[in-house]
Amino acid sequence: MNIAPRRARWLVPLVLLLVWLGVGGTLGPYAGKLGEVATNDQAAFLPRSAESTQVLEAREAFDQSETLPAIVVWTAGGERVGQEQQKAATRAVSALAGQPGLVGRPSPAIRSEDGLALQAVVQLEPDLGEELPTALDRIRQAAKGVPGTSAQIAGPAASQADLSDAFAGIDGLLLGVALGAVLLILLLVYRSVLLPFLIILGSVFALGLACAVVYALAQRDVVRVDGQVQGILSILVIGAATDYALLLAARFREELATSGDRASAAVAAVRRSFGAITASAATVALGLLALLASDLTNNRALGPVGAIGILCAVLSTLTFLPAVLALLGRAAYWPSRPKPSEMSAQGSGVWRRIARTVDSRPRRTWVVTAVVLAGFACFSPALSSKGVPLDKIFVNDAPSVAAQATLGEHFPGGSGNPAVIIADADRADAVTAAASRTEGVASAAAVSASGRPGGGEPLVVDGRVRIDATLEAAADSDAAKETIERLRTDVHAVSAADALVGGYTAQQYDTQQTAARDRTVIVPVVLAIILLILTLLLRSLLVPLLLVATVALNFLATLGVSALVFEHLLGFSGTDASVPLYGFVFLVALGVDYNIFLMSRVREEALVHGSRQGVLRGLTTTGGVITSAGVVLAATFAALMVIPLAFLVQIAFIVAFGVLLDTLVVRSLLVPALVIDIGPRAWWPSALARPRTGEKSQATPAE
């Protein structure tokens, strides 16, 4: 009579397992194919409303075709270059005309004022993709034909090629390092042979599904993906899926020790952990979607892509993992054995001691902890986010960086990357004169029909002209950005000119300004989202406010430590403009996860045992699994350091250190001590705010 229901209990997990095996086999390869639809063209990620973006659109009318410049620079080992060498350099690059990937004729070689170097500009097609290194190799081989000199290639084309090289290992190397670190930690912590592999398999399935969805959307131009977004997606999915899986597996172990029935334990584990997992996922996903409010396209790109990854991680955790645990039962934890429920509730010896310490001196614990974190937070203003110069973008030496340094030694710093001014044709002379007088501008001239500045009558398109202004400082320097501010002020002051200033330096300046604006808009939105979710989950107002305050303090403390480490240990002069925002979204949204895991269990225990005992039992019960989850997530994000880009190294450190600080200090000491010190009132206006008999209804006396 009970045969059909009994079969259904095993049929559902078996079907779920087969479905996920099909997903893994069919969609798994997309984790390595996402690079096919990724772009590392930074022009595609500029602020939508910025002046430099308007210039980028306006200048297309002056260019017969969009190009990517490669700047060839020759030096003779400190010796002066002669006219014959200059002629040979011109012949060498002129011979490249008509080669695949090249646009028009290269410029003739010009000699620097000090006579020690030559430069020529070769225009390439902007969408060469994997053919870009081949095109640069042809230029490099041709440039070697100038006797007595050595040649280097600088400019946007060389930088883009080096950027592509940096991301070349993102599919295999990054994924391998991340998964290897997670597997090692799980094996050491859980001493189980099978469970770590099941958790890793679930995260890989989630990543394959996420990458397949993102791949399909990127192919249809619904979302944009670059190397940074691609790398962060992999790390985010693996880290989140592992965290959620650890929480569910720990709950299944408790239920299995109580009931002994695999199917019932799996159902109970999903039911009891569903709220915490979905609330955590909603916090991260909605926090990422808040990036849609950004005016920077790469920030908006990360929002939906990251949210898709989180949803896939949750789907895998709540379907694949319960299915395999229901089928395997105790075998999943072999050779360890699930403990009886009461022993599990008491937690390990370490967490019992921590709970006793917090309980004996709650006020002293949270005050000391808060003061230490506030002390670190005092250093957060020292973290400069004004952007990173070209020679600091790459962690390792890059050929384009060395070439740009050589170019800057002998030519004006802005050579090859001029500020581009678009103005009304009848005011061209006045705008050119104003630009030339601007402090920090080496020269300014209208672009002629030949495509070169000052090469004849200005080219007029729809009543507008293009004026190129060469800056004295390197195009990626702070001095150049300050010159852009002055240049805009001066040319905007020319009446009836309707002048706009763009170009590479202006784009960097606008990106920096937009990132600062984004922080003021997005940070409050993310905090409001977290507060709302915590309020709904915990059915309280005061506890959510405390949790938001603690994760915000943890973020500021992490920035303070990062400022010291970046400057004094890693040698970074500053960070990319988007690093603080990315760090905030990841660290606050992910950091609140552990508080959600803790406080949801605390509330569950408090309903039975009262507020104080609920905190102590919740801390001891979840201490091990949350700490393991934090270490795993920190190690996962630390894997980003294998990509030799300062941006990803900085994000990796901020998130990894911040997660560990949150897991080991904020969640273990600060939050429990605060809730115990405040007492049942912390749960206001919930029924838990009414103290039980014998339970303190107010804060403990000062110690």
Side-chain angles (χ1 to χ4, degrees):
M1 185 170 59
N2 295 324
I3 294 178
R6 288 176 61 84
R7 286 180 177 175
R9 296 174 65 194
W10 306 115
L11 183 61
V12 171
L14 184 59
V15 170
L16 287 173
L17 176 60
L18 292 176
V19 168
W20 275 107
L21 290 174
V23 168
T26 305
L27 304 181
Y30 281 93
K33 294 175 62 178
L34 205 55
E36 297 175 8
V37 292
T39 174
N40 292 313
D41 178 13
Q42 296 306 298
F45 298 95
L46 294 175
R48 292 175 295 178
S49 58
E51 185 171 333
S52 59
T53 307
Q54 299 175 45
V55 171
L56 190 66
E57 296 169 354
R59 66 181 286 185
E60 293 178 359
F62 295 87
D63 299 326
Q64 293 183 354
S65 59
E66 188 180 354
T67 61
L68 186 69
I71 305 172
V72 187
V73 56
W74 293 266
T75 54
E79 302 293 329
R80 293 181 65 85
V81 291
Q83 289 187 351
E84 290 303 318
Q85 290 171 311
Q86 185 176 2
K87 292 177 182 178
T90 299
R91 288 194 299 269
V93 293
S94 297
L96 291 168
Q99 292 286 326
L102 272 67
V103 178
R105 294 185 62 82
S107 71
I110 61 173
R111 187 161 38 181
S112 62
E113 288 188 6
D114 60 13
L116 301 179
L118 301 169
Q119 79 161 11
V121 180
V122 181
Q123 303 292 351
L124 301 176
E125 295 176 2
D127 54 355
L128 287 176
E130 296 180 356
E131 297 300 319
L132 178 58
T134 303
L136 292 177
D137 284 340
R138 282 196 292 267
I139 297 173
R140 194 173 289 109
Q141 290 300 319
K144 289 180 179 178
V146 180
T149 67
S150 59
Q152 297 170 282
I153 302 179
S159 297
Q160 185 166 315
D162 286 343
L163 197 61
S164 297
D165 285 343
F167 284 121
I170 205 166
D171 288 334
L173 179 61
L174 178 60
L175 196 57
V177 170
L179 292 175
V182 171
L183 182 60
L184 178 61
I185 292 171
L186 293 180
L187 288 171
L188 292 175
V189 171
Y190 287 94
R191 298 183 179 89
S192 169
V193 176
L194 189 55
L195 182 63
F197 287 96
L198 295 177
I199 292 175
I200 290 291
L201 188 61
S203 66
V204 170
F205 285 165
L207 180 60
L209 177 60
C211 288
V213 174
V214 172
Y215 183 94
L217 295 176
Q219 264 194 328
R220 293 161 177 80
D221 292 327
V222 177
V223 298
R224 282 187 179 274
V225 180
D226 67 352
Q228 292 176 357
V229 171
Q230 182 184 356
I232 290 173
L233 174 65
S234 300
I235 293 302
L236 190 62
V237 173
I238 293 171
T242 303
D243 272 9
Y244 303 151
L246 289 175
L247 184 66
L248 188 137
R251 204 61 194 250
F252 175 79
R253 185 171 183 163
E254 287 183 38
E255 299 297 335
L256 186 62
T258 302
S259 68
D261 182 80
R262 291 175 287 172
S264 299
V267 172
V270 171
R271 185 178 66 251
R272 291 178 179 271
S273 59
F274 181 85
I277 291 175
T278 54
S280 169
T283 301
V284 181
L286 292 176
L288 287 166
L289 288 176
L291 290 173
L292 290 172
S294 171
D295 199 37
L296 289 173
T297 311
N298 56 339
N299 287 352
R300 296 200 319 278
L302 179 60
V305 169
I308 289 169
I310 292 297
L311 291 177
C312 292
V314 172
L315 185 62
S316 171
T317 300
L318 295 179
T319 55
F320 168 76
L321 187 60
V324 293
L325 291 177
L327 294 172
L328 292 173
R330 296 176 185 273
Y333 299 90
W334 183 86
S336 62
R337 296 178 61 84
K339 297 178 182 179
S341 146
E342 278 304 311
M343 290 179 62
S344 177
Q346 293 174 8
S348 68
V350 172
W351 291 102
R352 286 199 300 272
R353 288 195 294 272
I354 292 175
R356 283 198 298 267
T357 300
V358 171
D359 186 41
S360 63
R361 297 180 178 88
R363 184 166 299 174
R364 183 180 301 176
T365 299
W366 76 256
V367 168
V368 171
T369 304
V371 168
V372 172
L373 291 175
F376 287 138
C378 290
F379 293 98
S380 59
L383 185 67
S384 171
S385 57
K386 295 181 179 179
V388 180
L390 180 63
D391 61 348
K392 299 295 183 181
I393 289 178
F394 301 95
V395 175
N396 302 325
D397 294 333
S400 63
V401 173
Q404 194 68 39
T406 302
L407 189 67
E409 290 177 8
H410 305 288
F411 294 90
S415 294
N417 263 331
V420 178
I421 306 169
I422 305 295
D424 286 348
D426 56 0
R427 302 292 289 160
D429 291 341
V431 172
T432 302
S436 300
R437 291 193 302 267
T438 300
E439 180 185 352
V441 174
S443 62
V447 175
S448 66
S450 65
R452 288 194 285 272
E457 287 295 317
L459 174 64
V460 179
V461 178
D462 296 330
R464 306 276 279 171
V465 295
R466 168 181 165 177
I467 300 166
D468 282 1
T470 300
L471 308 182
E472 293 176 352
D476 57 353
S477 65
D478 289 340
K481 294 170 187 173
E482 292 169 2
T483 300
I484 289 295
E485 289 188 77
R486 293 190 294 268
L487 182 59
R488 283 179 171 170
T489 299
D490 292 345
V491 300
H492 290 171
V494 178
S495 62
D498 192 21
L500 299 171
V501 179
Y504 175 82
T505 306
Q507 292 166 4
Q508 299 303 303
Y509 174 78
D510 287 341
T511 298
Q512 175 184 317
Q513 297 299 307
T514 304
R517 170 263 175 197
D518 284 349
R519 288 196 293 271
T520 62
V521 172
I522 295 174
V523 167
V525 171
V526 173
L527 290 177
I529 290 171
I530 292 173
L531 183 60
L532 176 61
I533 292 174
L534 288 173
T535 301
L536 294 175
L537 176 69
L538 301 177
R539 301 171 195 174
S540 165
L541 290 178
L542 184 53
V543 167
L545 286 171
L546 291 175
L547 295 182
V548 169
T550 59
V551 295
L553 178 60
N554 178 70
F555 171 69
L556 292 176
T558 300
L559 285 191
V561 173
S562 299
L564 299 175
V565 171
F566 290 169
E567 181 178 356
H568 300 292
L569 295 182
L570 301 182
F572 294 130
S573 59
T575 72
D576 184 86
S578 296
V579 165
L581 180 60
Y582 277 25
F584 174 82
V585 171
F586 286 129
L587 191 52
V588 172
L590 290 170
V592 83
D593 281 4
Y594 305 118
N595 286 310
I596 288 176
F597 295 164
L598 169 65
M599 296 309 295
S600 61
R601 185 59 180 262
V602 167
R603 186 180 188 279
E604 180 183 330
E605 298 287 350
L607 288 170
V608 179
H609 304 285
S611 179
R612 174 176 164 273
Q613 281 299 318
V615 172
L616 299 178
R617 294 173 71 90
L619 180 59
T620 55
T621 303
T622 64
V625 65
I626 294 179
T627 301
S628 301
V631 172
V632 165
L633 187 63
T636 306
F637 266 88
L640 283 172
M641 292 185 180
V642 303
I643 306 299
L645 290 174
F647 175 88
L648 292 180
V649 171
Q650 291 164 351
I651 288 292
F653 179 85
I654 288 174
V655 177
F657 179 84
V659 164
L660 290 177
L661 188 63
D662 184 85
T663 304
L664 301 176
V665 178
V666 175
R667 183 269 315 180
S668 302
L669 301 175
L670 181 57
V671 170
L674 272 171
V675 177
I676 289 176
D677 193 23
I678 296 173
R681 292 181 303 172
W683 298 96
W684 182 87
S686 153
L688 285 171
R690 296 189 291 272
R692 294 166 177 263
T693 303
E695 186 171 13
K696 295 177 182 179
S697 60
Q698 58 186 10
T700 58
E703 295 159 344

